[in-house]
C-alpha cells in the first residue's frame, strides 16, 4: 500500500465515523423537549428522524449527479466540514427549536454527501481483495461513529 492510499484510508475512515452523526441528538431528546416545552413533541423528534434522513437522501442524489463534475474527495471533504459546522452551530444558536432543526438539515446533507463520496473513493482507489477488506473495516468505522 502506497502513501497516497494510506492518506485516503485515513480520510475515508474518519469520514465514515461521521455517517452516524444524525444519531447524536438521540440521548438528549428529552432534554430538548424540556428546553422547548411549548414545542410539539413530533417536531423535537424530527431532529433525528425525518429531517436528517430526507436531507441525506436528497444529498445522496445530488452527490451522485455531481460525481462526474466534482472530485469525490472534495465532495466528501466539504460535507465533512458541513457536518462539523452544523454540529457546532447548535452550540452557538439554540434559543429556538427551528435553529436545532436547521442544524439537523445541514447534518443530513453532509451525511448524504459523505456516504456517497467515501464509498466511491474506496471503489476508485482500491481494487480486488484490498477493496473488500477496506470496505469491511469501513463498516466498522461507521459503527464506531455511532457508538462515539
Amino acid at each position: 500500500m502506497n502513501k497516497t492510499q494510506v492518506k485516503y484510508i485515513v480520510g475515508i475512515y474518519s469520514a465514515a465515523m461521521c455517517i452516524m452523526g444524525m444519531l447524536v441528538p438521540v440521548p438528549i431528546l428529552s432534554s430538548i423537549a424540556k428546553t422547548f416545552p411549548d414545542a410539539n413533541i413530533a417536531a423535537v423528534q424530527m431532529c433525528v428522524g425525518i429531517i436528517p434522513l430526507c436531507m441525506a437522501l436528497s444529498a445522496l442524489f445530488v452527490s451522485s449527479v455531481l460525481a462526474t463534475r466534482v472530485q469525490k474527495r472534495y465532495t466528501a471533504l466539504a460535507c465533512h466540514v458541513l457536518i462539523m459546522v452544523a454540529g457546532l452551530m447548535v452550540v452557538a444558536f439554540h434559543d429556538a427549536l427551528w435553529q436545532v432543526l436547521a442544524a439537523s438539515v445541514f447534518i443530513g446533507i453532509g451525511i448524504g454527501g459523505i456516504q456517497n463520496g467515501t464509498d466511491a473513493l474506496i471503489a476508485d482507489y482500491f481494487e480486488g481483495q484490498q477493496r473488500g477488506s477496506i470496505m469491511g473495516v469501513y463498516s466498522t468505522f461507521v459503527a464506531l461513529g455511532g457508538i462515539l
Side-chain angles (χ1 to χ4, degrees):
M1 190 175 307
N2 61 36
K3 287 183 179 182
T4 303
Q5 288 179 322
V6 171
K7 288 179 187 178
Y8 277 113
I9 287 174
V10 170
I12 288 167
Y13 289 166
S14 65
M17 292 179 74
C18 290
I19 290 175
M20 298 301 279
M22 67 180 104
L23 295 178
V24 170
V26 170
I28 61 165
L29 275 177
S30 64
S31 297
I32 294 171
K34 288 177 189 173
T35 304
F36 304 106
D38 297 333
N40 185 343
I41 193 68
V44 173
Q45 290 175 331
M46 283 196 292
C47 291
V48 290
I50 309 247
I51 291 177
L53 289 173
C54 288
M55 296 313 295
L57 182 61
S58 302
L60 283 166
F61 288 127
V62 170
S63 64
S64 297
V65 172
L66 290 176
T68 58
R69 297 183 182 105
V70 179
Q71 289 188 4
K72 295 167 199 83
R73 63 183 177 185
Y74 295 138
T75 303
L77 183 61
C79 290
H80 194 88
V81 170
L82 181 63
I83 289 172
M84 289 189 304
V85 169
L88 291 172
M89 192 170 85
V90 179
V91 174
F93 306 105
H94 55 271
D95 297 332
L97 185 60
W98 71 266
Q99 294 169 329
V100 178
L101 293 173
S104 291
V105 166
F106 292 116
I107 287 172
I109 291 169
I111 288 170
I114 279 182
Q115 190 166 359
N116 258 7
T118 52
D119 291 345
L121 283 171
I122 291 172
D124 286 352
Y125 291 100
F126 303 96
E127 295 185 14
Q129 190 173 1
Q130 189 180 35
R131 181 186 298 168
S133 64
I134 288 171
M135 195 57 141
V137 177
Y138 172 82
S139 300
T140 303
F141 273 85
V142 171
L144 274 173
I147 291 169
L148 292 177

